[in-house]
Amino acid sequence: MNPVVAIVGRPNVGKSALFNRLLQQRLAIVESEPGVTRDRIYATAEWSGRGFTLVDTGGIEVTADHGIHDLTRRQAQLAIQEADVVLMVVNGREGLLPADQEVAEELRRAGPRQVIVVVNKVDDPAQMKNLYEFYGLGLGLGDPMAVSAAHGLGIGDLLDRILTLLPEGEAEAGDESVNRVAVVGRPNVGKSSLVNAILGEERVIVSDIPGTTRDAIDVGVVRGGSRYIFIDTAGMRRKGRIEHPVERYGVIRALRAVDRADVALILIDAVEGLTEQDKKIAGYVFEAGRASIVVINKWDLFEDKSDEGVKAFVDGVRWGLPFMSYSPILMISARTGQRVPKILETVDRVAGEYSRKIPTPDLNRLLRDAVTVSPPPAERGKRLKIYYATQGGTRPPTFLLFVNDPDLLYYTYRRYLENRLREAYGFDGTPIRLVAKERK
């Protein structure tokens, strides 16, 4: 395990901006309004050859005792409990406020912690005089440290201080054995509930309020010797219904989560059924070339569970997603845990298909048989000739066909060849790419 550094503080002191600056990438959403970050966001940071896990949290409002504020505070408390070092961020422009004192009391109640008081938004030397106020917090190892997350001032010194307090640890290298799984869908279909059900703990905030999740949140899972990273994402509603910039950023993060995933879980509400927005989300997953599993959540609330009712529902989903006929469909309930363990089993199978390789002789033998059984149609006296084929890559499986004229590989015959590949080798849950190249 990497050592853990948690960033905490009251709302709107620049915690997410500092998180992004320490990582040197824009991972957390940054807005001028308070309360944008709600969940814990984890990422691996590295400095001077040493790695650590950095955790961004939502603003701690000690007086908040209901709704989203209380859930956000709970997430920050959990981050403090697991941290080796805590960065308590304050606003150097505003000086010491009673809300900062309340956060300091929260840290004291958490027990002994290595704390660095980080005075953010110090963009001008004239603001340094406010630094001395924060000695009154009675927290921290050494002097409060002045930084500007927006402009990168003082960040190197802060990282040096962090390393002096960390136990030994190394950054995790990228590992192809990790299955990255993006959980996507419309608002309020149960994405966060599903992630929590898989983990067996309250890792991300769950609320009946649509749009509770805003960032894309990576959550590591180890089961039976297999490693996964589940990416909980913001709900993606229709573009015309997005009114707030924070929600727009959340959708962008969700799309990026699909781009860096191996497998996408496309969540659909069993009660509402397949909607046009569900189709658009599935279409993005397909165009991104990601493996996919269609997950029907809230199955415990579905009324007609007769054989006919279930078949009609599944047929409706298949009819609405004709481009994803290869994707498994799972009926689950994140609330009750019904069939949730089936998800990891299916992810393993689909991820294996996503990386499947076909030996070149076997591939050419299959294509010769396919062409013999059903030759390509002629168009104005010209007929497609496939001279040779090879697999050009995986994730998704991509096949190069060397032909006389690429324009003669029409959609219907392309689908025929794809179906023959699936009949022979499965490719369950993964798209297949056929690329025609001219050979003189």
Side-chain angles (χ1 to χ4, degrees):
M1 295 291 291
N2 281 344
V4 177
V5 177
I7 302 175
V8 302
R10 62 180 173 85
N12 215 31
V13 293
K15 296 182 296 299
S16 294
L18 180 62
F19 178 79
N20 289 342
R21 177 65 68 176
L22 293 173
L23 292 173
Q24 300 182 43
Q25 59 176 305
R26 291 180 61 86
L27 190 60
I29 296 175
V30 176
E31 273 288 293
S32 58
E33 68 176 80
V36 172
T37 302
R38 291 170 171 174
D39 292 282
R40 288 173 281 162
I41 306 174
Y42 288 69
T44 299
E46 188 173 356
W47 182 250
S48 296
R50 292 187 60 193
F52 56 91
T53 298
L54 193 64
V55 189
D56 188 22
T57 66
I60 297 177
E61 296 184 74
V62 176
T63 56
D65 58 358
H66 64 281
I68 294 295
H69 296 299
D70 189 39
L71 295 171
T72 301
R73 176 185 169 193
R74 175 61 180 156
Q75 290 290 310
Q77 290 171 335
L78 292 171
I80 292 169
Q81 290 171 12
E82 67 176 341
D84 297 290
V85 175
V86 176
L87 306 183
M88 179 183 168
V89 185
V90 293
N91 189 330
R93 295 177 190 167
E94 298 175 346
L96 182 62
L97 298 181
D100 296 316
Q101 295 282 12
E102 291 171 351
V103 174
E105 284 300 318
E106 187 83 17
L107 285 170
R108 291 189 187 94
R109 284 193 291 270
R113 288 291 183 279
Q114 300 195 95
V115 179
I116 301 174
V117 176
V118 181
V119 186
N120 191 27
K121 305 188 181 183
V122 181
D123 309 316
D124 190 306
Q127 297 170 339
M128 290 293 289
K129 64 180 184 297
N130 292 338
L131 194 67
Y132 301 103
E133 295 183 32
F134 297 102
Y135 284 92
L137 290 171
L139 280 176
L141 299 169
D143 299 331
M145 300 198 67
V147 304
S148 171
H151 300 98
L153 303 176
I155 297 300
D157 292 338
L158 175 59
L159 284 163
D160 287 339
R161 173 85 72 84
I162 290 171
L163 293 191
T164 65
L165 302 177
L166 289 179
E168 290 298 320
E170 297 181 358
E172 293 179 358
D175 188 346
E176 289 299 318
S177 66
V178 177
N179 288 324
R180 290 172 172 79
V181 185
V183 184
V184 298
R186 295 181 292 111
N188 222 28
V189 294
K191 298 180 295 297
S192 296
S193 296
L194 176 58
V195 172
N196 286 342
I198 291 171
L199 266 67
E201 64 174 276
E202 188 182 338
R203 172 60 183 80
V204 288
I205 293 176
V206 174
S207 170
D208 292 334
I209 304 171
T212 297
T213 301
R214 291 171 166 179
D215 293 278
I217 301 160
D218 291 22
V219 182
V221 184
V222 178
R223 290 287 186 277
S226 298
R227 299 174 60 200
Y228 311 85
I229 293 177
F230 280 84
I231 312 170
D232 188 19
T233 65
M236 292 185 275
R237 70 173 82 236
R238 293 198 306 271
K239 187 180 295 186
R241 297 184 61 184
I242 298 175
E243 301 176 353
H244 199 284
V246 171
E247 186 175 1
R248 182 170 66 253
Y249 298 146
V251 171
I252 292 171
R253 296 292 198 278
L255 297 177
R256 287 180 180 171
V258 172
D259 292 339
R260 61 190 175 92
D262 304 305
V263 180
L265 303 184
I266 304 168
L267 259 66
I268 296 171
D269 190 311
V271 178
E272 298 181 13
L274 185 70
T275 68
E276 286 302 314
Q277 183 62 5
D278 293 326
K279 297 176 187 177
K280 290 181 180 178
I281 294 169
Y284 184 87
V285 173
F286 174 78
E287 292 296 332
R290 298 300 176 260
S292 58
I293 302 168
V294 177
V295 180
I296 314 299
N297 192 25
K298 306 182 185 180
W299 192 248
D300 54 314
L301 303 179
F302 185 74
E303 293 183 354
D304 186 5
K305 292 189 176 67
S306 65
D307 292 345
E308 295 80 8
V310 173
K311 184 179 183 303
F313 186 93
V314 172
D315 288 347
V317 172
R318 290 291 187 205
W319 184 84
L321 302 176
F323 51 88
M324 275 188 173
S325 58
Y326 52 80
S327 297
I329 296 179
L330 298 179
M331 283 77 162
I332 64 115
S333 170
R335 184 178 67 86
T336 67
Q338 180 185 11
R339 283 192 287 276
V340 168
K342 189 77 174 175
I343 289 177
L344 292 181
E345 176 187 325
T346 309
V347 165
D348 286 342
R349 185 177 81 251
V350 167
E353 298 292 289
Y354 194 52
S355 301
R356 179 185 284 276
K357 281 188 157 185
I358 307 301
T360 300
D362 295 348
L363 175 63
N364 282 276
R365 191 178 304 115
L366 181 145
L367 290 176
R368 281 197 301 270
D369 292 346
V371 171
T372 301
V373 171
S374 179
E379 179 73 17
R380 292 190 295 274
K382 295 185 67 178
R383 188 185 301 273
L384 176 74
K385 294 181 180 179
I386 302 175
Y387 301 120
Y388 182 75
T390 185
Q391 185 165 355
T394 60
R395 307 159 71 88
T398 302
F399 300 94
L400 305 179
L401 308 182
F402 295 92
V403 301
N404 58 331
D405 184 351
D407 292 337
L408 295 175
L409 182 58
Y410 298 115
Y411 173 78
T412 52
Y413 202 73
R414 182 187 297 269
R415 285 300 302 270
Y416 165 70
L417 295 178
E418 179 183 327
N419 289 337
R420 289 300 302 269
L421 281 166
R422 292 190 185 280
E423 288 171 9
Y425 296 107
F427 291 114
D428 190 28
T430 178
I432 293 176
R433 298 288 187 254
L434 298 180
V435 180
K437 287 184 172 290
E438 184 178 6
R439 196 187 79 172
K440 297 292 186 182

